[in-house]
Amino acid sequence: MEPGTITFNLAVAIPELMLAVGAMVLLMIGAFTGEKSARSMHVIAVALIAAAAAVLVYTAPEGVVFSDAFVSDRFARLMKLLVLGGSTFAIAMSYGFARHASYGRFEYPILVVLATLGMMVMISADDLIALYLGLEMQALALYVAAAINRDSLRASEAGLKYFVLGALSSGMLLYGMSLIYGFTGHTNFAGIAEAMAAERQLGEIFGIVFMLAGIAFKVSAAPFHMWTPDVYEGAPTPVTAFFAAAPKVAAMAMMIRVTYGAFEHAAADWQQIIAFLAIASMLLGAFAAIGQTNIKRLMAYSSIGHMGFALVGLAAGTQTGVSGVIIYLIIYLIMTLGTFACILAMRREDGLVEDISELSGLSRTHPMMALMLTALMFSLAGIPPLAGFWAKYFVFLAAVQAELYVLAVIGVLASVVGAFYYLRIVKIMWFDEPESGFVPMASELRLVLGVSGVFTIFYVVVAGPVSSIATGAARTFF
Amino acid sequence: MNVVGLFFYLFSAICVASAFMVIASRNPVHSVLFLILAFFNAAGLFMLMGAEFLALILIVVYVGAVAVLFLFVVMMLDVDFAELRQGVLQYLPIGGVIGIVLLVELVLVLGGLSITPEGADLVVQPIPDMAETSNIQAIGDLLYTKYVFFFQMAGLILLVAMIGAIVLTLSHRSDVKRQNTATQIGRDPATAVTLHDVKPGEGI
């Protein structure tokens, strides 16, 4: 090797390269064919992401490349697969809106592809710089996606709010990173972990606090959740469906890698922070959602609560805890996509409706949709034997095993309070007088809802394989 | 005190003072001008450290492009800054308390920071020695090899920013007259010039 040259095994990063090159090709096609290509762009983008997922599963090897900044291990591959799945379904669900809505623009699928690329880099980041670059790339694409319907005042407000608060959180994250780098002398996670092994200085703990606060913004954990309801409500519904699924998984995966990778020796310090975030999020998610009448706002508080439950598993600090979080993320992703398929189907002749009361009597006008949505609501509330119950069961089990009894008890209580507003939707659907029905559900929404509903109801059948996959991925850190 | 030390304190003092003036001055245009002054002094500090490429890039990019853009934006936007400041007194107590608490915490943390005696040995020495190679080459050697991943990611982030700016601001309006270069070039004297026989005192 002569000086100035360096070789990387690019095969490790093939899925990322596919998305990067594919996004640029899509951009070229879009720029030359114009707005009329919006629908075909959706199809090509879905094919691109699906191809990247196939390559990720079948050919991409595991390894560490780019001077230890980019790692692909079992955990990263599983999380990337989830993110790719979430993005694919999110683009597919916005297909029907590409033509007749004012936000049907060819740039939207490209932005989703680029955001997905950012998320994959976040998941694979083994270095502070890579982490920040991935995060910023994902966030920038999301800010634009939130405001993509620029004729709508609420969408523009949502985009601006997201941007300002996101920039603030990035500032906190960067400040934390600078403290970590200053006190440990490393940007690489392995180096940071090694430097922290002996003794920890106060500055390192400050860095951990600032970094976790910055990441908590991204997973919308209370008390850093303020942007979530407004952005969810203001952004166009297909965009909200995307926001609620894949970015949450990516940010949570990043949090796991930061806490268990870089800060593994500082577990005693970050555990209390995570436990506080978990308690605050669970309680806020349970109580603040009660008064909501807009279903998108309700889902925003619901997602805050669910991130709180997932953080319970993270706070446990054990392998069971991490595998619990992974199972939670898998189930959360699928439930959320299914619920948003229903929300996107709440459409009358004159457009989308978002009020919960619009669902009244759904069981008589659209029995199948009502049945599936009921299953999803029971699952979100955590009622056995549906998927959502098992998700909560594994994180609480991990918390109890780690002797975090207070956390587990508060979690169960918050889950009971939260059940109220999920059950209220079920009551509205089955026992209220029907309103005029919605327009028939588009086939891509039926597909997503069907897959999600069947998974939720028959989770016990696949529970064994899912658990073993999650355990295998969690073993990466232990 | 040698000359380098003198310049270091000169540049840093002006830099800190002008940074303070950025947030303290009443006129936003003055704020931007102070920002430019701060950039110039930061460039001077880079120069003292022997990073002449970074110093010049700072001036070219930040002063030449970013700050001038700021200046344009500030001049074009019709923002009443006096009105924006009206709420300040109302929120000053709570904001001040939070600020002081944070400041005390940070001083406590960073005040306990001491530089270890062996710290000087830990400083990474550039390879090859800076006496043999130029600044630009040293940066390029690292940026395009070890850090190529970060460099490409940064490029992609800029691409996202560009797409975003176009998506959010570019609009094709149909009710405006546009220049059509093809028809302009395609005109010849036969279609462009007409002769009128104008009678005296009548006009066309």
Side-chain angles (χ1 to χ4, degrees):
Chain A
M1 199 179 89
E2 59 181 87
T5 55
I6 199 161
T7 44
F8 296 123
N9 179 16
L10 285 181
V12 176
I14 284 273
E16 283 79 6
L17 290 173
M18 280 176 69
L19 287 190
V21 175
M24 286 184 247
V25 171
L26 276 174
L27 197 60
M28 277 296 132
I29 300 175
F32 282 103
T33 55
E35 295 297 332
K36 62 182 179 295
S37 60
R39 281 177 85 105
S40 43
M41 295 294 263
H42 277 72
V43 177
I44 306 174
V46 166
L48 176 67
I49 298 183
V55 169
L56 176 73
V57 174
Y58 291 110
T59 69
E62 294 181 0
V64 183
V65 278
F66 301 130
S67 318
D68 299 341
F70 184 96
V71 59
S72 180
D73 47 25
R74 282 188 75 166
F75 172 75
R77 289 175 62 173
L78 177 62
M79 286 296 150
K80 281 182 192 175
L81 197 62
L82 283 183
V83 163
L84 288 168
S87 301
T88 311
F89 285 117
I91 300 178
M93 287 200 289
S94 63
Y95 175 73
F97 297 84
R99 188 174 44 188
H100 47 67
S102 54
Y103 38 88
R105 311 187 50 161
F106 79 84
E107 287 96 344
Y108 176 62
I110 298 174
L111 285 171
V112 176
V113 170
L114 286 167
T116 311
L117 173 62
M119 289 179 225
M120 290 172 78
V121 173
M122 275 160 71
I123 292 170
S124 270
D126 206 24
D127 189 287
L128 293 178
I129 305 175
L131 184 152
Y132 180 69
L133 288 172
L135 187 73
E136 216 41 26
M137 177 152 176
Q138 171 249 18
L140 255 179
L142 293 189
Y143 304 147
V144 179
I148 198 147
N149 183 11
R150 60 183 185 197
D151 300 327
S152 151
L153 193 65
R154 277 166 67 207
S156 307
E157 185 197 323
L160 193 65
K161 224 173 230 175
Y162 197 11
F163 177 71
V164 171
L165 289 175
L168 184 71
S169 76
S170 292
M172 283 162 73
L173 187 73
L174 278 177
Y175 186 59
M177 284 181 181
S178 72
L179 283 175
I180 296 282
Y181 174 58
F183 279 88
T184 63
H186 292 277
T187 57
N188 192 277
F189 287 180
I192 293 172
E194 198 186 324
M196 281 191 178
E199 55 165 332
R200 285 180 303 285
Q201 291 164 289
L202 195 56
E204 286 166 358
I205 295 168
F206 253 68
I208 294 174
V209 172
F210 273 103
M211 272 189 73
L212 287 183
I215 301 174
F217 251 105
K218 305 293 176 190
V219 295
S220 71
F224 305 105
H225 64 278
M226 298 79 76
W227 57 274
T228 324
D230 292 341
V231 172
Y232 272 43
E233 191 190 2
T237 315
V239 180
T240 313
F242 174 55
F243 279 7
K248 293 283 164 65
V249 174
M252 197 56 112
M254 183 176 86
M255 201 168 199
I256 293 175
R257 196 182 288 285
V258 168
T259 48
Y260 287 88
F263 304 151
E264 58 172 328
H265 300 296
D269 299 315
W270 57 254
Q271 258 177 331
Q272 6 174 338
I273 305 171
I274 302 271
F276 170 74
L277 290 175
I279 291 174
S281 308
M282 289 188 296
L283 292 180
L284 186 108
F287 285 100
I290 291 175
Q292 303 302 324
T293 55
N294 182 305
I295 192 145
K296 280 157 81 183
R297 277 191 95 82
L298 184 105
M299 284 308 290
Y301 285 108
S302 161
S303 86
I304 294 170
H306 281 289
M307 284 301 123
F309 291 119
L311 286 174
V312 171
L314 194 57
T318 57
Q319 188 182 331
T320 350
V322 176
S323 81
V325 180
I326 295 170
I327 296 174
Y328 205 102
L329 290 177
I330 296 172
I331 294 175
Y332 168 80
L333 184 81
I334 296 176
M335 288 191 303
T336 308
L337 287 171
T339 313
F340 271 97
C342 282
I343 297 174
L344 284 165
M346 290 169 62
R347 197 167 77 205
R348 299 230 161 78
E349 294 300 334
D350 50 348
L352 283 169
V353 288
E354 293 171 2
D355 216 67
I356 294 173
S357 61
E358 304 278 352
L359 283 167
S360 59
L362 193 72
S363 60
R364 268 164 281 180
T365 50
H366 297 83
M368 266 323 274
M369 182 178 157
L371 191 67
M372 289 295 186
L373 189 55
T374 307
L376 286 168
M377 286 298 144
F378 276 130
S379 176
L380 283 169
I383 289 168
L386 300 167
F389 166 74
W390 295 104
K392 289 201 173 93
Y393 171 76
F394 284 114
V395 289
F396 290 148
L397 187 70
V400 170
Q401 280 173 356
E403 301 186 344
L404 298 169
Y405 299 118
V406 180
L407 200 56
V409 169
I410 294 177
V412 172
L413 292 178
S415 174
V416 172
V417 176
F420 165 75
Y421 58 86
Y422 296 121
L423 292 181
R424 192 174 53 147
I425 296 179
V426 174
K427 178 244 169 198
I428 290 173
M429 282 192 295
W430 292 85
F431 300 111
D432 283 8
E433 280 308 305
E435 296 209 15
S436 63
F438 301 124
V439 292
M441 210 168 170
S443 51
E444 67 270 11
L445 296 180
R446 279 170 201 265
L447 176 75
V448 175
L449 179 59
V451 170
S452 165
V454 167
F455 175 85
T456 309
I457 297 172
F458 298 106
Y459 176 74
V460 277
V461 180
V462 292
V466 170
S467 298
S468 60
I469 291 171
T471 313
R475 205 172 290 138
T476 313
F477 298 106
F478 296 93
Chain B
M1 190 192 287
N2 56 9
V3 182
V4 175
L6 191 70
F7 272 105
F8 172 78
Y9 284 108
L10 179 73
F11 286 141
S12 357
I14 300 178
C15 193
V16 171
S18 53
F20 177 75
M21 285 308 290
V22 171
I23 53 169
S25 72
R26 290 191 159 274
N27 188 333
V29 176
H30 293 175
S31 288
V32 179
L33 293 176
F34 275 116
L35 190 66
I36 294 177
L37 186 61
F39 284 149
F40 265 109
N41 286 287
L45 289 174
F46 270 130
M47 207 61 119
L48 287 181
M49 287 193 294
E52 76 270 0
F53 178 66
L54 283 182
L56 293 178
I57 281 291
L58 189 71
I59 292 180
V60 171
V61 175
Y62 277 88
V63 178
V66 177
V68 171
L69 191 74
F70 274 6
L71 207 55
F72 269 108
V73 170
V74 167
M75 284 177 176
M76 303 258 254
L77 286 183
D78 183 25
V79 180
D80 189 351
F81 284 87
E83 198 180 323
L84 276 183
R85 293 220 171 108
Q86 266 181 0
V88 167
L89 275 184
Q90 194 185 342
Y91 297 111
L92 190 64
I94 180 100
V97 168
I98 293 174
I100 288 170
V101 169
L102 266 181
L103 184 72
V104 169
E105 284 179 357
L106 289 178
V107 165
L108 282 179
V109 172
L110 299 178
L113 176 62
S114 57
I115 296 168
T116 48
E118 59 267 29
D121 305 332
L122 293 173
V123 173
V124 180
Q125 290 303 324
I127 305 167
D129 198 86
M130 288 311 290
E132 295 166 20
T133 180
S134 75
N135 235 297
I136 303 175
Q137 192 178 357
I139 292 176
D141 276 349
L142 273 182
L143 206 57
Y144 291 95
T145 55
K146 191 179 177 192
Y147 297 119
V148 67
F149 173 56
F150 301 150
F151 188 59
Q152 292 295 325
M153 277 298 290
L156 276 173
I157 292 174
L158 289 180
L159 177 71
V160 176
M162 200 171 84
I163 298 173
I166 293 172
V167 167
L168 295 180
T169 56
L170 181 72
S171 61
H172 291 288
R173 290 177 57 186
S174 51
D175 55 341
V176 289
K177 283 194 173 177
R178 286 177 194 286
Q179 189 180 23
N180 189 341
T181 38
T183 35
Q184 276 184 339
I185 296 167
R187 268 153 66 105
D188 56 16
T191 58
V193 184
T194 52
L195 286 176
H196 290 278
D197 189 12
V198 184
K199 293 206 173 67
E202 290 184 9
I204 301 174

